[in-house]
Amino acid sequence: MTIQEIQEQIVNEFSLFEDWMDKYNYLIEMGKEVPRIDERYKTNNHLISGCQSRVWLHAENRDGKIYFTADSDAVITKGLVNLLIRVFSGHSPEAILEADTDFIERIGLKEHLSPTRSNGLVSMVKQMKLYAQVYKLKQDN
Amino acid sequence: MNGLNISELNELRQQFPALHQSVYGKPLVYLDNAATTQKPQLVIDRITKYYSSENCNIHRGVHYLSQVATAAFEAVRANVAGFIHAAKSEEIIFTKGTTEAINLLAGSLAGFLIGMGDSVLVTGMEHHSNLVPWQQLCKRNHAKLLVAQLDDKGEVSLEQFGKLLEQKPKLVAITHISNALGTINPVKEMITMAHANDIPVLIDGAQSVAHMRVDVQDLDCDFFAFSGHKMYGPMGVGVLYGKEKWLEQMPPWQFGGEMVDQVSLQETTFNQLPFKFEAGTPNVAGVLGLGAAIDFLNQTGLEKIGKHEQQLLDLAIKKLQSVQGIRFIGNANNRAGVISFIVDGTHPTDIGILVDKMGVAVRTGHHCAQPVMTRFDVPGTVRASFALYNTAEEVEVFVSAVQKAVRMLL
């Protein structure tokens, strides 16, 4: 599936939720999943700055595609980052760089998008795109 | 003295337009007052009035408007002096807020009182704004920062404080009330102890002035800093009080217009107190708004407000006990309307996000007091802080919201 298709799928899933509680229960559920990151990457080097809770993000390039793993000490934050991983992981750097993130608004989590929101998705998205940028530069060279 | 009765409380709430709104379809319960309080209509009106009919640069113009604005501005200085019972209006310096007040003091004392080999004494519960300026001053001037540590209740041991005074710091800089723990420091006693060693004392009053009657002469503090916006006044205005004997000796901190007397291309003589420390055009609207906020506090009565907030605090502590796994951070015997906690197995941010969806505004994180979080080995806390307009019903809504959030998270 393309990034766009995954985003549509998520929008469809979220449209089933009747209220904010269902939505957040789903995020919490996703946040409780076993962390996908290797313990050795949970270092300060992998911390995303600007988050109120700690978020570790690791990226690997395999066969021209980027695979993300992450963890957080806050469960909703972890749910959010897992959602982003589902969207962005396993795609080419170009696709990640080109992708927009309006699905977040469409699933009603807009309040997490404000650039000053310290638990926000903005720094996570930024960090993922930064990894994509770096791998793209490496490829181009 | 009793707190506020229901009709007084309702009447007070009516004066705060921002309280009467819904967030996510729920009535707003605003419990982030230690960060900033909402503003009563008379403060908003005062600012509007200034920009509508009095706007003018002050102190210099001979024309009518300038005189009106100058008189209003200086009347607030006298009002502030009365509010904290300063001996003279000249001891009141207007600043942008507590942070600037403390930076002003640190900047001025850096070239005057605190030099190589000297030390400054703070406590382990300082807000960053009363820690970082001293820490950085000490780094620059090769001085030493002494810290009175906190016990498990979040109190400073006076015994340790006394021991540190023996090292003869040049200044003691302590908070009146901890913004993260709610601890009310026994500042009067601490000031007496410091003065016995001839050491001047700065009190960071950002969290106290809106919640208790402050009398700087009774405390006998040498400096006292506070912000307008945490006491129902506007943002961008604050005060540094200093005893005249100190302010007279201290060199200016910022330079420019207003703070000068005679200027040639080579030399400048400086203006008198308080203008020596007020370079540039001040925040006139902010100062006038602050004056209105003081009038509001005086009319309402700080003793009543303090009592009311204490009742809310006691109720919140009692009700929150029912939350499984709750741990209060800060259990001082003498504490103000600030309640900081974590819940086992949850992250403060998660609780903050969920109660927000239920209309409850609390603060999560380190509250600009990271060393306090380190001391208690927590990533941050959830903090609810009360103001005069909060109600017992709001405490109930808040506690239910926390319970619901914890149920969702665990």
Side-chain angles (χ1 to χ4, degrees):
Chain A
M1 274 200 287
T2 65
I3 289 181
Q4 190 60 38
E5 283 163 356
I6 299 169
Q7 292 190 356
E8 288 305 321
Q9 194 184 44
I10 291 172
V11 170
N12 282 335
E13 282 171 23
F14 270 77
S15 68
L16 300 173
F17 299 135
E18 286 183 354
D19 60 11
W20 72 271
M21 272 190 74
D22 289 348
K23 212 181 289 179
Y24 277 82
N25 276 328
Y26 180 67
L27 281 177
I28 290 165
E29 213 175 285
M30 275 198 296
K32 284 180 178 167
E33 281 174 16
V34 183
R36 301 180 188 184
I37 196 169
D38 198 310
E39 279 298 315
R40 71 192 152 120
Y41 296 127
K42 283 173 74 168
T43 63
N44 285 346
N45 285 341
H46 289 83
L47 272 180
I48 297 180
S49 62
C51 286
Q52 209 176 74
S53 47
R54 293 191 294 174
V55 185
W56 298 269
L57 181 70
H58 174 67
E60 268 173 39
N61 191 355
R62 290 201 301 270
D63 309 325
K65 286 179 178 163
I66 300 178
Y67 294 87
F68 293 106
T69 51
D71 196 7
S72 171
D73 54 357
V75 72
I76 295 174
T77 314
K78 198 169 143 195
L80 290 168
V81 76
N82 279 346
L83 197 65
L84 289 179
I85 287 177
R86 188 174 147 199
V87 172
F88 290 116
S89 198
H91 299 278
S92 68
E94 291 80 5
I96 294 168
L97 284 170
E98 278 164 22
D100 61 33
T101 49
D102 68 338
F103 80 102
I104 295 167
E105 202 170 334
R106 288 164 68 203
I107 60 178
L109 295 174
K110 200 174 84 178
E111 66 265 23
H112 295 286
L113 271 183
S114 141
T116 52
R117 179 114 187 184
S118 46
N119 47 32
L121 286 164
V122 171
S123 28
M124 298 183 209
V125 173
K126 215 163 132 187
Q127 193 63 33
M128 287 178 163
K129 292 215 171 202
L130 202 66
Y131 273 122
Q133 185 76 54
V134 169
Y135 284 123
K136 186 173 178 294
L137 283 172
K138 275 188 182 168
Q139 271 174 17
D140 293 349
N141 289 331
Chain B
M1 171 69 69
N2 284 321
L4 299 159
N5 66 42
I6 290 180
S7 67
E8 279 175 317
L9 190 53
N10 284 338
E11 203 189 303
L12 281 169
R13 286 181 67 83
Q14 283 308 317
Q15 298 183 44
F16 288 83
L19 294 178
H20 307 283
Q21 61 179 308
S22 296
V23 291
Y24 312 114
K26 318 264 186 341
L28 170 67
V29 174
Y30 186 78
L31 298 178
D32 194 16
N33 296 290
T36 197
T37 55
Q38 298 301 337
K39 318 305 173 200
Q41 191 63 48
L42 86 173
V43 168
I44 300 165
D45 288 346
R46 187 64 194 92
I47 294 165
T48 309
K49 184 186 167 207
Y50 170 70
Y51 282 124
S52 308
S53 63
E54 299 163 311
N55 177 52
C56 208
N57 212 329
I58 56 166
H59 292 145
R60 286 180 286 270
V62 291
H63 54 79
Y64 176 79
L65 267 192
S66 179
Q67 289 179 33
V68 168
T70 303
F73 184 89
E74 289 304 324
V76 176
R77 200 187 300 276
N79 197 359
V80 171
F83 180 63
I84 59 169
H85 197 225
K88 289 178 168 183
S89 293
E90 289 78 3
E91 294 176 325
I92 304 299
I93 316 286
F94 288 119
T95 65
K96 279 196 307 198
T98 307
T99 299
E100 194 185 49
I102 296 172
N103 274 279
L104 186 166
L105 187 62
S108 178
L109 295 184
F112 167 66
L113 187 71
I114 301 157
M116 193 185 283
D118 292 334
S119 60
V120 176
L121 172 56
V122 299
T123 75
M125 70 172 86
E126 300 309 320
H127 186 283
H128 293 163
S129 64
N130 194 35
L131 170 66
V132 183
W134 304 116
Q135 178 197 69
Q136 294 301 309
L137 163 61
C138 288
K139 272 187 197 294
R140 272 197 312 276
N141 284 9
H142 305 285
K144 196 174 163 194
L145 189 72
L146 306 173
V147 184
Q149 302 293 348
L150 307 182
D151 64 16
D152 289 344
K153 288 165 91 175
E155 292 177 342
V156 172
S157 141
L158 288 184
E159 199 189 325
Q160 198 219 352
F161 179 72
K163 286 225 169 71
L164 289 166
L165 289 175
E166 290 170 12
Q167 296 191 38
K168 301 285 176 199
K170 291 286 179 169
L171 179 82
V172 169
I174 45 178
T175 190
H176 201 168
I177 296 178
S178 158
N179 74 308
L181 303 168
T183 309
I184 303 176
N185 277 319
V187 285
K188 193 170 175 180
E189 210 175 330
M190 294 165 96
I191 292 164
T192 307
M193 288 168 74
H195 283 177
N197 292 276
D198 291 323
I199 302 162
V201 181
L202 158 71
I203 302 295
D204 169 359
Q207 296 295 341
S208 64
V209 279
H211 308 284
M212 58 166 70
R213 178 61 66 188
V214 168
D215 183 329
V216 289
Q217 292 187 79
D218 178 54
L219 290 175
D220 201 24
C221 55
D222 299 273
F223 303 98
F224 189 91
F226 60 98
S227 298
H229 75 96
K230 293 187 200 288
M231 51 180 285
Y232 311 99
M235 290 189 173
V237 65
V239 169
L240 176 68
Y241 156 82
K243 280 183 184 167
E244 190 182 24
K245 66 166 186 182
W246 283 109
L247 296 178
E248 281 292 1
Q249 300 175 65
M250 283 161 46
W253 172 56
Q254 287 186 327
F255 302 89
E258 188 90 350
M259 53 78 66
V260 295
D261 180 21
Q262 296 294 320
V263 178
S264 73
L265 289 175
Q266 287 77 31
E267 290 295 332
T268 296
T269 57
F270 301 118
N271 205 335
Q272 296 173 327
L273 283 180
F275 311 112
K276 180 171 91 172
F277 291 108
E278 292 179 355
T281 297
N283 179 0
V284 181
V287 166
L288 300 184
L290 174 64
I294 289 174
D295 293 342
F296 171 77
L297 281 170
N298 285 336
Q299 280 158 23
T300 311
L302 274 159
E303 290 74 17
K304 246 183 191 180
I305 295 168
K307 180 83 185 167
H308 173 68
E309 290 168 354
Q310 197 66 49
Q311 288 166 349
L312 295 177
L313 174 75
D314 293 345
L315 179 67
I317 292 174
K318 193 173 132 209
K319 295 270 172 185
L320 280 171
Q321 310 277 3
S322 64
V323 177
Q324 207 188 342
I326 195 163
R327 176 149 74 95
F328 295 106
I329 306 298
N331 290 293
N333 290 337
N334 195 11
R335 60 189 288 192
V338 171
I339 200 165
S340 233
F341 66 90
I342 55 164
V343 178
D344 286 344
T346 71
H347 193 280
T349 309
D350 288 329
I351 293 180
I353 290 173
L354 294 176
V355 301
D356 172 53
K357 300 299 285 184
M358 296 179 246
V360 180
V362 291
R363 191 69 148 209
T364 60
H366 53 63
H367 319 299
C368 292
Q370 287 179 25
V372 176
M373 302 301 121
T374 308
R375 162 65 183 82
F376 288 96
D377 197 22
V378 290
T381 68
V382 182
R383 181 190 71 186
S385 49
F386 304 109
L388 60 88
Y389 42 64
N390 289 124
T391 66
E393 292 73 32
E394 286 182 317
V395 172
E396 304 272 357
V397 172
F398 158 63
V399 174
S400 315
V402 172
Q403 280 165 335
K404 196 166 167 183
V406 171
R407 275 200 302 275
M408 284 175 76
L409 288 165
L410 291 178

